Amino acid sequence: MLMEECGVFGVFLKNRSNTIPYIVEGLISLQHRGQESAGIAYEKNNEIKVYKKMGMVADIFSNGIVKKINSHIAIGHVRYSTRGKSEIQNSQPFHVRFRNEHFAIAHNGQIENSEKLRNELEEKGTIFLTESDTELILHILIKNLSKNILEWTLKDIARTIFKYVSPSYSLLLLFKDRIIAIRDKYGYRPLYYYESENGYFISSEDSGFNFLNPDYKNIKEILPGEAIEFSAHGIKKYKIESNKKRFCFFEHIYFARPDSNIFGRNVHLMREELGKLCAMENPIDADIVVPVLDSGFSAAIGYSKESKIPIEMGLMRNRYVGRTFINPNQKDREIGVRRKLPPISPVIKGKRVILVDDSIVRGTTMKKIITMLKDAGAKEIHVRIASPKVVNTCHWGVDIPEKKELIAFGKKVKEIKEEIGANTLGYTSLEGIRKILKEDYNNYCFHCFMEVHDEL
Ligand code: SF4
């Protein structure tokens, strides 16, 4: 079973001009959600075609390719995997041909009941071509709906997926003449659409529309439990009850872009609030606040504002290597930290440093950063984390490893501090986060921050 955190982007253009440059721009905006592979499924001569490769969006979709695969309707996907294989057969979108008709899927999330569904389908003779959860959805639709894909209505498709497939999913389905976007009833993963004069754009994050210079009032959230069809006939909606939400708090902490607005909050401002909270809960006398770039930057601004200790660039960020957390191979990850975040020695030499990061998962990165800062002459290093301890794995689509790999699992803060080699260590509390989110707190998932499985 693969666990994935990905990005999806879809475009339907009313004037039948070429969507592919838009999809490529959209996928570049979502590149932070997955860097292993990228692909586009599009309509061509009444069929669905797919172009996908391993690598970064800009490398895969050169100008030549973009001109070649002209289409007025398309969906795209960026992906990374962790426990499963990072290889082309698992990259998306997936495409199926069934009784001479075609459709494709691009999915962000992880299906909780995937093992059960896969076993049931295999017992009945279904053959799977990939290890991915996403392929299951294609088989579920074919097995439960009429044999003629052209007869499938929005309601049929949505009801089938909502009935059989457990969250999490924010997904796009591409048919020859329409795109269907579906978000699971808990709304774990974000999903937005933008309606312009030219057509419809759908994105995992609303920052994916920024390149369009959009009229922001026309950007809408696809709601938990909602399915929307985009076609030449306009927009059609279908919705099921969604009383309980479970927005992934890790989207705010780490995954989403700072300029995105997800779950009703701006990501940068939310991270800044968390940094302020961290400073209130974990004060310390020091000379400078140093962010672990990029995801710790907004929180470090908040910590600095609250503590009145100046923020300094004590670590630089080498942009030409991938995000550490996103790399599925442990050895590559260790080498990556040294290449990615070299210290700026004159800034930190002889200083008492407050090092602010968004989270600690395995602790590998943090240990190496602390060693580098000490080697570069830091007098003291006080680590401040703008989230609670990560102590549980995730079953809903974020790359959080098994408990035994988590540095905080079963450990007290003092033990973690010693393991990473910091002078002091402070986390932000769930209680404090509850105060920031107020009544919205109950709409979030915090499972990975909870020692016991008691909030389901
Ligand atoms: S367990 Fe953590 S990472 Fe997974 S959905 Fe919940 S908050 Fe997000």
Side-chain angles (χ1 to χ4, degrees):
M1 184 172 64
L2 292 185
M3 182 152 72
E4 298 169 1
E5 175 65 11
C6 307
V8 296
F9 199 86
V11 182
F12 177 91
L13 290 180
K14 293 173 189 165
N15 59 8
R16 299 191 71 84
S17 57
N18 188 12
T19 59
I20 305 302
Y22 293 96
I23 296 267
V24 173
E25 285 294 338
L27 291 181
I28 288 172
S29 309
L30 298 175
Q31 185 80 81
H32 59 288
R33 297 184 73 86
Q35 302 176 327
E36 285 179 39
S37 65
I40 297 178
Y42 57 98
E43 186 273 344
K44 187 88 185 170
N45 301 329
N46 233 15
E47 290 186 0
I48 304 283
K49 306 273 186 198
V50 177
Y51 187 87
K52 56 186 176 182
K53 277 192 164 182
M54 303 304 291
M56 305 286 275
V57 179
D59 298 330
I60 297 169
F61 294 99
S62 62
N63 269 341
I65 295 292
V66 169
K67 281 182 193 144
K68 218 162 126 189
I69 55 174
N70 192 317
S71 175
H72 78 292
I73 182 169
I75 59 172
H77 189 268
V78 286
R79 170 178 185 257
Y80 88 81
S81 63
T82 54
R83 281 185 271 170
K85 292 181 207 91
S86 169
E87 54 188 33
I88 192 68
Q89 76 177 37
N90 292 323
S91 68
Q92 296 189 36
F94 292 141
H95 160 232
V96 278
R97 240 184 232 107
F98 180 66
R99 299 199 166 182
N100 285 332
E101 278 302 329
H102 302 244
F103 69 109
I105 186 169
H107 168 219
N108 173 204
Q110 183 188 357
I111 298 166
E112 208 185 345
N113 64 343
S114 63
E115 227 167 281
K116 181 175 165 279
L117 288 177
R118 186 176 280 257
N119 289 342
E120 281 170 11
L121 286 163
E122 279 180 341
E123 263 169 39
K124 288 179 184 144
T126 304
I127 294 167
F128 287 88
L129 298 175
T130 73
E131 296 171 303
S132 169
D133 290 1
T134 308
E135 192 188 353
L136 280 165
I137 300 171
L138 302 173
H139 291 299
I140 292 283
L141 289 172
I142 286 172
K143 186 171 163 287
N144 289 287
L145 294 178
S146 82
K147 298 301 170 210
N148 184 352
I149 289 176
L150 297 178
E151 290 174 357
W152 294 2
T153 64
L154 170 70
K155 196 170 164 189
D156 292 339
I157 292 167
R159 283 171 78 160
T160 304
I161 291 177
F162 288 137
K163 180 173 176 191
Y164 293 103
V165 183
S166 298
S168 68
Y169 46 87
S170 278
L171 61 86
L172 300 180
L173 291 164
L174 174 71
F175 297 88
K176 287 183 307 197
D177 54 356
R178 56 190 172 142
I179 294 171
I180 291 179
I182 304 182
R183 189 169 171 210
D184 69 61
K185 64 180 176 179
Y186 295 124
Y188 278 99
R189 305 281 142 231
L191 195 60
Y192 291 85
Y193 72 93
Y194 170 57
E195 181 174 1
S196 77
E197 275 179 15
N198 296 342
Y200 308 108
F201 301 80
I202 311 122
S203 173
S204 290
E205 295 179 32
D206 65 348
S207 59
F209 306 128
N210 282 350
F211 75 94
L212 295 163
N213 192 17
D215 182 348
Y216 286 93
K217 72 174 185 311
N218 291 336
I219 294 177
K220 307 250 161 60
E221 182 177 2
I222 297 175
L223 300 172
E226 190 168 48
I228 306 185
E229 181 176 282
F230 304 90
S231 73
H233 305 293
I235 288 178
K236 265 193 220 163
K237 295 187 179 183
Y238 175 80
K239 175 128 180 20
I240 58 163
E241 279 291 302
S242 164
N243 299 326
K244 172 111 184 80
K245 316 283 189 303
R246 290 177 59 80
F247 304 143
C248 170
F249 199 66
F250 231 93
E251 291 276 355
H252 271 308
I253 289 173
Y254 178 79
F255 270 106
R257 260 172 56 159
D259 55 336
S260 286
N261 302 285
I262 58 165
F263 313 138
R265 288 184 153 81
N266 172 264
V267 173
H268 163 71
L269 294 177
M270 182 72 207
R271 287 178 187 166
E272 199 179 298
E273 281 288 294
L274 291 169
K276 284 182 185 170
L277 174 65
C278 187
M280 283 187 255
E281 294 185 334
N282 305 281
I284 188 91
D285 195 20
D287 301 312
I288 52 173
V289 172
V290 171
V292 177
L293 299 171
D294 288 328
S295 53
F297 189 39
S298 303
I301 292 172
Y303 196 102
S304 171
K305 279 186 182 172
E306 183 62 33
S307 64
K308 312 274 188 299
I309 297 170
I311 186 166
E312 297 283 355
M313 197 165 116
L315 291 165
M316 79 156 259
R317 163 90 193 207
N318 179 354
R319 300 195 174 276
Y320 305 102
V321 291
R323 296 171 80 182
T324 312
F325 191 38
I326 231 160
N327 194 322
N329 180 294
Q330 181 69 27
K331 206 167 150 219
D332 288 353
R333 185 181 290 116
E334 285 169 15
I335 299 164
V337 178
R338 292 200 164 269
R339 284 187 314 184
K340 195 176 80 171
L341 289 166
I344 301 178
S345 182
V347 174
I348 54 177
K349 200 165 182 182
K351 301 271 175 41
R352 295 168 299 162
V353 173
I354 299 174
L355 186 65
V356 179
D357 205 353
D358 59 285
S359 58
I360 308 183
V361 179
R362 291 178 179 85
T364 323
T365 307
M366 186 51 79
K367 272 188 227 171
K368 289 200 175 291
I369 292 171
I370 290 170
T371 306
M372 287 190 303
L373 290 178
K374 281 182 182 166
D375 291 348
K379 196 166 145 198
E380 292 170 13
I381 299 167
H382 304 280
V383 174
R384 295 295 179 266
I385 302 298
S387 63
K389 286 196 288 179
V390 176
V391 289
N392 231 326
T393 192
C394 173
H395 306 286
W396 303 280
V398 170
D399 169 22
I400 294 181
E402 293 303 317
K403 286 182 190 173
K404 62 179 185 326
E405 288 183 53
L406 300 172
I407 192 166
F409 176 62
K411 290 199 196 94
K412 298 201 165 68
V413 173
K414 188 169 171 282
E415 294 170 290
I416 306 165
K417 179 206 84 166
E418 271 154 26
E419 196 170 329
I420 61 176
N423 293 82
T424 67
L425 169 65
Y427 285 91
T428 306
S429 74
L430 262 185
E431 229 6 83
I433 292 171
R434 184 192 287 272
K435 283 180 196 142
I436 292 178
L437 295 175
K438 301 192 176 75
E439 61 278 5
D440 224 11
Y441 180 85
N442 292 327
N443 290 331
Y444 278 88
C445 171
F446 294 102
H447 176 78
C448 51
F449 305 109
M450 296 183 143
E451 299 274 357
V452 281
H453 197 159
D454 61 358
E455 34 76 84
L456 293 178

